[in-house]
């Protein structure tokens, strides 16, 4: 299994760098469910900042609230 081997971290690090430098994107937003501690830890390692915005999405017929994190140039 690849769990716990930082593959997602490495992939996002490279992707975020490419997007910011080559596509001239100035910000990337990530919506994460508040109970997803592993994703929150990873996104913070990637220098995303919590912005306090909340939104809703549907997962398997259930409405869930997510919190927004932001990475800027």
């Amino acid at each position: 299994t690849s769990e716990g081997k930082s593959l997602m971290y490495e992939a996002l690090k490279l992707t975020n760098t490419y997007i910011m430098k080559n596509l001239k994107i100035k910000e990337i937003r990530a919506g994460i469910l508040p109970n997803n501690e592993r994703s929150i830890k990873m996104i913070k390692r990637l220098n995303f900042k919590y912005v306090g915005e909340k939104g809703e999405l549907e997962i398997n017929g259930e409405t869930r609230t997510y919190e927004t994190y932001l990475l800027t140039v």
Side-chain angles (χ1 to χ4, degrees), residues 19-66:
I19 289 170
M20 297 282 199
K21 288 184 178 179
N22 297 301
L23 303 180
K24 308 300 185 212
I25 301 291
K26 296 191 184 328
E27 68 178 33
I28 300 172
R29 292 177 174 262
I32 302 174
L33 299 176
N35 63 340
N36 192 339
E37 296 172 10
R38 291 181 70 188
S39 289
I40 293 169
K41 181 179 175 183
M42 180 188 60
I43 215 79
K44 286 181 176 179
R45 280 182 62 205
L46 291 164
N47 296 318
F48 280 73
K49 304 296 181 215
Y50 177 70
V51 294
E53 295 175 12
K54 296 182 185 264
E56 292 184 338
L57 58 98
E58 187 177 315
I59 300 175
N60 296 326
E62 180 182 341
T63 301
R64 307 280 301 271
T65 300
Y66 65 85

